[in-house]
Amino acid sequence: MRDVTKHYTKDDVTVVWKSGLCQHSCICWKGLNDVFDPKKNPWINMDGADAERIIDQVKKCPSGALSIELKAARD
Ligand code: SF4
């Protein structure tokens, strides 16, 4: 599959996912399945948890496939 970069935004928080880096290690969807669910499309649901929990889970991604952009940092 071609590598893609996807953005999922809610309010000031954007989760960035780079498919080419993802090791499908399950950590994100085992840790926070209400947000990260590879069976769903889109597979990241920004309404599944509050921003703090989403950011915490993104930090646990071992490969760097997931990262966070905050709106304040982009302005
Ligand atoms: S935690 Fe990171 S590497 Fe693991 S499945 Fe999720 S996005 Fe991919």
Side-chain angles (χ1 to χ4, degrees):
M1 193 178 83
R2 196 168 59 89
D3 290 355
V4 292
T5 299
K6 297 216 168 185
H7 295 76
Y8 304 86
T9 300
K10 185 177 181 195
D11 301 330
D12 292 346
V13 179
T14 296
V15 172
V16 183
W17 178 67
K18 295 180 179 164
S19 71
L21 293 178
C22 181
Q23 299 165 342
H24 307 285
S25 58
C26 315
I27 288 174
C28 58
W29 72 80
K30 282 186 180 155
L32 195 54
N33 191 242
D34 288 340
V35 174
F36 302 96
D37 188 344
K39 295 195 200 83
K40 293 194 176 146
N41 190 11
W43 81 281
I44 296 179
N45 169 23
M46 296 296 285
D47 292 323
D50 60 31
E52 203 175 326
R53 288 193 67 202
I54 294 174
I55 291 168
D56 274 357
Q57 190 61 51
V58 164
K59 285 180 185 164
K60 292 176 186 158
C61 174
S63 68
L66 290 174
S67 58
I68 291 284
E69 283 178 5
L70 299 175
K71 187 167 188 294
R74 292 199 303 268
D75 289 343

